[in-house]
């Protein structure tokens, strides 16, 4: 809704003000990187006082403003630094030294409104591709970090790890993807679907799940009543197109996707499809993640068969699982996937299976939970946490029925 126009306007209004406020405290030139484009009305020279005669204010008015600005000087310095940090990611840790030379400072408490303007300003500035490797500082695309963290913290999911990293990496490296990337995560609860979605968000976006480029939809929370499905449809389409307008590389996460009404899935199909009409908004750089427990039983059967045959779970291959997963997803139960046209139109690029977790995986989750809180742990405590979970099937007691779900709450029992 005119977001772009509003942004531009806000910046033109802001720039002169910002530069005026920043007078004497090291303008853009002193930072090395190219200065922002010149404001419409001269702003930089103001520190030398050219406004004195015939300027917007009379002499006395100017003095009063100058005095006022002097007081705000220390603060404006911080504004400038904040902006430089946001835009060029430099000078981010320099507040303290600066504080000393500028005497008593008003403290590191930018008024909230000011921060918002700076966000807008830096986003606008970045839209010219003048900063940050990705051309947009909200987007970090740290694949190495994603890979390292998945390797260290996602347990027992060799397939999910491999598929997600490969798919995301290839997609981000492609200068002109033909369609949005659509991944469908499948598996029992607690196996790491949410965890991986969160990891993707936090390594692709500076602000992770809180980023304005990321939208999370939870079926029963956002779309609880089937009778309102038409208004949900309109809302969802509007939110997706607004997010993509705001942010070229957007991420949409649909949790509890098995409970999504099929007509909602069909409504968002156009955003995921191959399409060649060069409209104003390009959806082909977006990523869609669907998280569901559909197919969980098939995945578990395969894992159990492998175990019974004495084979390592790492031997389970994508080729082996994918066909069976597709078949189960097409079963016309009360499952939105089967009734929507997502599958038959091949809009899903990758199926990502999450295997059921075994006892030693749950122990690793418990260890991570202790480490995350900076608490010491013993092998015995890890065993005790793992023993609190229910293991199935009844005879083998092989897989944790809740995966690693609520493991981090369970360690509370072991705190001193
Ligand atoms: C990428 O992520 C890793 C792991 O989270 C982190 O240590 C590293 O600093 C990140 N790199 C960048 C450039 O943000």
């Amino acid at each position: 809704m005119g977001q772009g126009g509003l942004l531009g306007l806000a910046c033109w209004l802001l720039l002169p003000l910002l530069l005026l406020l920043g007078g004497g405290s090291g303008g853009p030139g002193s930072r090395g990187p190219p200065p922002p484009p010149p404001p419409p009305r001269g702003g930089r020279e103001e520190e030398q006082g050219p406004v004195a005669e015939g300027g917007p204010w009379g002499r006395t008015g100017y003095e009063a403003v100058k005095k006022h600005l002097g007081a705000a000087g220390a603060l404006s310095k911080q504004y400038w630094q904040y902006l430089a940090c946001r835009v060029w990611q430099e000078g981010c840790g320099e507040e303290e030294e600066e504080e000393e030379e500028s005497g008593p400072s008003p403290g590191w408490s930018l008024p909230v409104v000011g921060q918002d303007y700076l966000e807008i300003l830096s986003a606008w500035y970045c839209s010219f591709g003048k900063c940050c490797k990705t051309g947009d500082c909200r987007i970090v695309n740290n694949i190495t970090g994603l890979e390292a963290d998945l390797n260290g913290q996602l347990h027992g999911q060799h397939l999910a790890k491999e598929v997600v990293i490969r798919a995301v990496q290839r997609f981000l490296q492609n200068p002109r993807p033909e369609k949005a990337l659509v991944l469908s995560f499948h598996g029992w609860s607690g196996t790491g679907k949410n965890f991986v979605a969160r990891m993707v968000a936090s390594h692709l976006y500076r602000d992770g799940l809180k980023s304005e480029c990321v939208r999370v939809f939870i079926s029963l929370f956002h779309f609880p009543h089937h009778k309102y499905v038409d208004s949900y449809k309109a809302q969802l389409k509007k939110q997706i197109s607004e997010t993509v307008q705001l942010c070229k590389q957007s991420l949409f996460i649909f949790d509890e996707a098995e409970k999504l009404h099929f007509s909602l899935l069909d409504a968002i199909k156009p955003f995921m499809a191959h399409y060649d009409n060069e409209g104003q908004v390009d959806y082909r750089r977006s990523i869609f993640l669907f998280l569901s427990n559909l197919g969980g039983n098939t995945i578990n059967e395969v894992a159990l068969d492998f175990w019974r045959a004495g084979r390592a779970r790492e031997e389970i291959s994508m080729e082996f699982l994918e066909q069976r997963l597709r078949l189960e997803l097409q079963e016309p139960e009360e499952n939105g996937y089967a009734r929507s046209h997502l599958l038959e139109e091949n809009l899903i690029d990758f199926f990502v299976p999450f295997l059921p977790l075994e006892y030693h995986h749950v122990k690793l989750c418990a260890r991570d939970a202790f480490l995350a809180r900076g608490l010491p742990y013993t092998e015995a405590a890890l065993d005790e946490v793992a023993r609190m979970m229910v293991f199935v099937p009844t005879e083998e007691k092989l897989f944790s029925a809740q995966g690693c779900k609520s493991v981090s709450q369970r360690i509370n029992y072991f705190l001193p």
Side-chain angles (χ1 to χ4, degrees), residues 217-228:
F217 301 99
I218 304 168
S219 300
L220 289 186
F221 181 75
H222 291 96
F223 320 112
H225 304 295
H226 278 185
K227 62 176 167 178
Y228 299 132

Side-chain angles (χ1 to χ4, degrees), residues 192-234:
K193 303 185 298 288
N194 272 288
F195 181 79
V196 173
R198 210 164 41 211
M199 283 267 178
V200 169
S202 65
H203 286 94
L204 264 43
Y205 301 93
R206 183 190 64 206
D207 303 323
L209 287 177
K210 294 201 194 91
S211 174
E212 57 190 349
C213 306
V214 180
R215 285 280 170 278
V216 180
F217 301 99
I218 304 168
S219 300
L220 289 186
F221 181 75
H222 291 96
F223 320 112
H225 304 295
H226 278 185
K227 62 176 167 178
Y228 299 132
V229 75
D230 284 332
S231 81
Y232 295 153
K233 247 195 287 197

Side-chain angles (χ1 to χ4, degrees), residues 12-29:
W12 286 119
L13 291 175
L14 259 166
L15 263 173
L17 178 70
L18 187 84
L19 293 171
L20 180 68
L21 280 171
S25 65

Side-chain angles (χ1 to χ4, degrees), residues 142 145 149 203:
N142 183 355
D149 282 356
H203 286 94

Side-chain angles (χ1 to χ4, degrees), residues 16-221:
L17 178 70
L18 187 84
L19 293 171
L20 180 68
L21 280 171
S25 65
S30 69
R31 282 275 158 208
R41 293 180 284 119
R44 291 256 1 243
E45 291 83 13
E46 240 104 325
E47 60 201 63
Q48 274 88 43
V51 193
E53 276 92 29
W57 306 298
R59 180 91 221 168
T60 47
Y62 174 63
E63 288 302 337
V65 172
K66 206 172 154 195
K67 210 170 146 196
H68 182 70
L69 289 184
L75 183 62
S76 73
K77 206 169 198 172
Q78 291 184 334
Y79 269 95
W80 176 254
Q81 225 162 35
Y82 181 80
L83 180 66
C85 166
R86 277 272 124 108
V87 174
W88 299 293
Q89 314 247 300
E90 64 177 48
C92 298
E94 288 171 14
E95 297 93 55
E96 276 154 48
E97 304 141 44
E98 297 284 331
E99 229 164 6
E100 280 165 31
E101 13 171 313
S102 58
S105 93
W108 187 230
S109 55
L110 297 180
V112 175
V113 173
Q115 278 204 21
D116 282 353
Y117 281 133
L118 283 171
E119 286 288 329
I120 293 170
L121 182 58
S122 63
W124 167 79
Y125 190 82
C126 286
S127 67
F128 293 95
K130 289 197 176 95
C131 55
C132 298
K133 252 189 263 167
T134 58
D136 183 338
C137 296
R138 298 168 300 180
I139 300 172
V140 292
N141 290 350
N142 183 355
I143 289 287
T144 0
L146 177 64
E147 190 164 6
D149 282 356
L150 287 182
N151 278 328
Q153 295 173 49
L154 180 68
H155 306 300
Q157 305 298 357
H158 67 286
L159 291 172
K161 207 183 304 184
E162 184 193 308
V163 176
V164 169
I165 292 169
R166 189 163 39 100
V168 172
Q169 184 166 32
R170 275 201 206 149
F171 180 73
L172 296 180
Q173 281 170 354
N174 185 347
R176 292 187 62 82
E178 284 173 16
K179 70 183 275 299
L181 176 67
V182 183
L183 304 183
S184 189
F185 292 6
H186 301 274
W188 267 2
S189 76
T191 49
K193 303 185 298 288
N194 272 288
F195 181 79
V196 173
R198 210 164 41 211
M199 283 267 178
V200 169
S202 65
H203 286 94
L204 264 43
Y205 301 93
R206 183 190 64 206
D207 303 323
L209 287 177
K210 294 201 194 91
S211 174
E212 57 190 349
C213 306
V214 180
R215 285 280 170 278
V216 180
F217 301 99
I218 304 168
S219 300
L220 289 186
F221 181 75

